[in-house]
Amino acid sequence: MSSDDLFLATAASVGARIMDDAVWHGGRCSWMGAAADTKEPWRVEYRALGPSVHGGTAGVGLFLAQLAAVTGEPRARRTAVGALRHAVERAPNLPPADRDGLHAGAVGVALAAARAAALLDESELHARARSLLDEVRLPSGPERCPDVVMGSAGAIIGLLALADAHDDPRLMMRAAETGEELLGRATVTRHGWSWATPGRRHPHHLCGLSHGAGGIGWALSELFAATGDARFAEAARGAFAYERSWLDAGSGTWPDLRVSGQRRGRPRPPGAAATGTWCHGEAGIALTRLRTFPLLRSGAVRDDAEIALETTRRHVAGLLPYEIEDLSLCHGAAGSADVLVSSGARWDEAAELGHAVLERHGADGDRWPCGTPHATTPGLFLGLSGIAWWFLRLYDRRVPSPLGTWG
């Protein structure tokens, strides 16, 4: 069996395991999975999945739709539809504060359903995605989270992608209104533009894709490309300038500003947990710059991408000799390696990690190292669906990244 075929066989094997574990009722399906306690993240408990893309049935369903599109497996198609039915029906019941964001909220669920509808030619999912957008009201006001995963930046990215998928300019107008909110809430200093997270006490406004200025800059760049409004481009450049003010040029790293004691111009603490990751580290920062350089045409953005990619490459290479404790997309090795694939020039280095993982676990490994401590979940960003999607990408680089907008 060739290495490419082995990557596909691994993705299919993990997908079969996920399908075997599905719990069905009334044409919908869900799963039990490990979830970390928000106050004590080292503690996990098993619970039914919610509807989100990040850890819920929308993410699992989207992976299974990708798997069905590649393999033609009828059971993957049926389970994908069942999972996304569950997600679309449950999303309106989320508390209002939890409906926002690309990965945590209802916009992401609608986009996952729309992407799966296109992959599987399922008109039912297309209609359900449209009706969810009409049904759900998103948060607004000064307490709205600004970030990509849980907040308004993610809503902007999702609404713009859905405006294109549904050919609906009203969704672009909603995205622009959300962008106006972000402009009004920015903190602008000599270092650039940044955003506070309501209800969270961080020493500084955060960097990074998932919850920081990098992700917000990505959203504003997309909004500039869609509307032509130069104010959004100015704010995006400001967001990236803020992150650049925190760059340690000697090590090529950005700080995880959730951690106290960080200072501009000071070396990063050795072995920082977020180094090289998608969520708070250089892999996510690289991804924001790879996406926005063609939109902003900024040499500084290009330079950021090169630095962040090199740090991510070193991070992935440094994992090879050791046991991989976390293979998840969010803060694990697969997310870092997937960004190398997205760079267009580093597939071989990502594939080397894939071979190392298979040597240690085998294509039918019983326990893939998820992002939940010593426990397993089928979820996309912390679990098996994301790991298997990464193997699909190693098999065929034309498969879209699970770290973008999935299309």
Side-chain angles (χ1 to χ4, degrees), residues 227-278:
T227 65
D229 189 330
R231 295 176 304 145
F232 296 130
E234 178 189 6
R237 293 188 187 98
F240 297 147
Y242 173 77
E243 288 197 332
R244 200 172 302 117
S245 76
W246 284 102
L247 169 64
D248 176 26
S251 64
T253 61
W254 281 259
D256 180 352
L257 291 172
R258 296 171 299 174
V259 179
S260 62
Q262 310 268 11
R263 296 289 184 270
R264 287 183 175 89
R266 302 279 182 85
R268 302 277 93 77
T275 298
T277 62
W278 171 83

Side-chain angles (χ1 to χ4, degrees), residues 31 46 64 91 105 110 116 141 160-161 189 206 237 250 273 277 280 319 341 398:
W31 288 263
Y46 279 83
L64 292 172
L160 290 174
T189 71
L206 299 183
R237 293 188 187 98
T277 62
H280 290 279
L319 295 172
V341 177
R398 294 170 297 179

